[in-house]
Amino acid sequence: MSRPTQAFIDLQALRHNVSIARSLAGTARLMAVVKANAYGHGAHAIAEALSSEVDAFAVACLDEALALRERGIQRPILLLEGVFDTSELQAAAAAALWMTIASDAQLSQLECAQLSQPVHCWLKVDTGMHRLGVGVEQTSQALHRLRNSANSDGAPTLFTHFVAAEATDSAETKTQLALFNTIETNGPRSACNSAGIIAWPDAHFDWVRPGYMLYGNSPMTGKHPAAESLRPVMTLQSQITALRDIPAGDTVGYNGTWRAKRPSRIATVPIGYGDGYPRGAKPGTPVLVGTQRAALAGRVSMDMITVDVTDLPAVAIGDTVTLWGPALPVEEVASHADTNGYELTTRMPARTPRIIVDGPQDD
Ligand SMILES: *Cc1c(COP(=O)(O)O)cnc(C)c1O
């Protein structure tokens, strides 16, 4: 038997989540964000599965886009941060990528470049994130320059990014939206990430840019009815490969940080931080053995974890262990490791095989 640690990627759940994003977004076109290896799910498999479902893709950088093009993805692909130099711009134009212009420097670079064909541009406006984008007061001038540049193809799309759309009453989002609405343009507009799609219908405009929700987890702080029917795409599983009984008072794992308060049964599972399970997960973090909850005991090692299964009758070597998935939200696991679900799936390393399935995995 080979090592049982695997991440199942459920394309049926993915398509279901896209249909939820679509129905929430109404007439807006849908740009699926597949940056960072589709948040760890495998960019090529995700993009291929979504090619006939979405209008465009978005990635963070040129290499991510070219990798998709090389594997046959034909849809428009937006570079969310634009390019870092002129040679990248030329490569992007040759691959018919869509270009973010987020600064005066990127705009000048576009105007001066010799390109094999013009690129379609998205002009990013900084309405409060203060990370990327031209200032609101510079926007009409920048739009004017884009419309007059032979290197810019078609009407530029105007877009911005929210600071805190996951809070349904966020004052920042209201301020950002009001600022964005002051900008005059006759071209398309876009503002929403997943949380915006779910909670800010007045911000849907012409394009929405869902990432996290497509992978089936809620980006919202707290419960939100529109997020409840999302279905997690990734199920991270392994198996129990060893079981031992230890007396009260003995410790488990590195540095002996977990001490048995009673005679305990400890299961060893071959998944660790080298497989994408967070080293920061504290004792007590839930894991599923079969369908039953048990708690992490002791530190997460590189290749293994140990689980207190004292209260689970009939546990056996070979039992399936689920680290996260439909029955155990990644957000819940993340909350025991001082992080969020975005980071947990995105950090899934190449070492963990992704197994593509069409439908839920049970044990
Ligand atoms: C990553 C990203 C998104 C997607 O955000 P989610 O919260 O994952 O939906 C949308 N727009 C921009 C500019 C991004 O960088």
Side-chain angles (χ1 to χ4, degrees):
M1 191 191 83
S2 57
R3 195 163 182 258
T5 301
Q6 296 172 324
F8 294 95
I9 305 299
D10 179 358
L11 299 183
Q12 193 180 306
L14 179 72
R15 289 188 296 264
H16 167 84
N17 300 329
V18 170
S19 72
I20 290 184
R22 263 223 192 279
S23 66
L24 289 168
T27 57
R29 278 176 283 174
L30 211 136
M31 172 177 275
V33 181
V34 294
K35 61 192 177 188
N37 200 25
Y39 296 45
H41 292 68
H44 174 246
I46 297 291
E48 190 161 67
L50 292 185
S51 270
S52 56
E53 313 269 332
V54 303
D55 302 289
F57 293 107
V59 296
C61 58
L62 180 67
D63 288 353
E64 291 180 338
L66 293 181
L68 291 177
R69 281 279 184 268
E70 272 158 27
R71 300 193 63 181
I73 301 299
Q74 312 258 316
R75 291 259 170 211
I77 306 174
L78 174 66
L79 303 184
L80 287 167
E81 294 171 37
V83 288
F84 297 92
D85 61 36
T86 303
S87 68
E88 280 204 341
L89 186 55
Q90 287 161 337
L97 303 177
W98 288 3
M99 187 57 49
T100 291
I101 301 292
S103 66
D104 192 58
Q106 284 178 330
L107 181 50
S108 303
Q109 197 171 57
L110 177 85
E111 289 172 322
C112 300
Q114 302 281 337
L115 303 180
S116 56
Q117 56 178 342
V119 291
H120 176 57
C121 293
W122 282 45
L123 179 65
K124 178 134 194 200
V125 191
D126 179 8
T127 57
M129 185 73 147
H130 298 337
R131 190 177 64 175
L132 283 185
V134 301
V136 173
E137 59 294 336
Q138 286 129 35
T139 306
S140 55
Q141 171 70 9
L143 277 175
H144 178 78
R145 282 170 64 186
L146 277 176
R147 285 199 202 93
N148 286 294
S149 168
N151 284 335
S152 168
D153 177 39
T157 302
L158 194 68
F159 81 119
T160 195
H161 195 53
F162 289 134
V163 172
E166 61 280 359
T168 50
D169 56 351
S170 115
E172 293 104 315
T173 308
K174 288 175 194 157
T175 307
Q176 287 188 275
L177 190 53
L179 260 179
F180 192 58
N181 275 321
T182 63
I183 304 167
E184 280 176 40
T185 175
N186 42 24
R189 289 184 292 173
S190 173
C192 285
N193 58 358
S194 297
I197 295 166
I198 291 167
W200 298 87
D202 292 348
H204 288 164
F205 298 109
D206 304 293
W207 282 93
V208 293
R209 312 186 305 269
Y212 197 56
M213 72 180 295
L214 301 182
Y215 309 107
N217 302 294
S218 173
M220 307 307 294
T221 40
K223 277 194 179 298
H224 194 287
E228 230 129 87
S229 49
L230 293 171
R231 282 170 42 194
V233 172
M234 182 187 289
T235 300
L236 183 61
Q237 281 186 340
S238 189
Q239 284 177 8
I240 293 178
T241 49
L243 274 172
R244 73 203 65 239
D245 293 303
I246 63 165
D250 272 19
T251 66
V252 174
Y254 281 119
N255 311 112
T257 55
W258 187 89
R259 190 177 296 278
K261 295 197 178 79
R262 53 179 179 169
S264 297
R265 175 154 261 221
I266 300 297
T268 303
V269 185
I271 184 166
Y273 60 81
D275 308 290
Y277 192 79
R279 184 172 180 279
K282 298 183 188 68
T285 303
V287 304
L288 293 179
V289 178
T291 57
Q292 292 182 289
R293 280 184 176 235
L296 198 66
R299 290 230 162 114
V300 173
S301 307
M302 186 185 291
D303 315 304
M304 282 174 271
I305 57 171
T306 37
V307 179
D308 180 359
V309 294
T310 314
D311 294 325
L312 302 187
V315 164
I317 288 176
D319 281 1
T320 298
V321 175
T322 302
L323 292 314
W324 56 74
L328 179 57
V330 68
E331 286 299 333
E332 184 180 344
V333 176
S335 72
H336 288 265
D338 294 327
T339 182
N340 63 11
Y342 285 73
E343 185 179 16
L344 291 193
T345 66
T346 301
R347 290 191 135 199
M348 189 60 51
R351 183 197 207 190
T352 303
R354 272 70 162 177
I355 312 294
I356 307 296
V357 295
D358 223 316
Q361 284 301 285
D362 33 55
D363 18 81

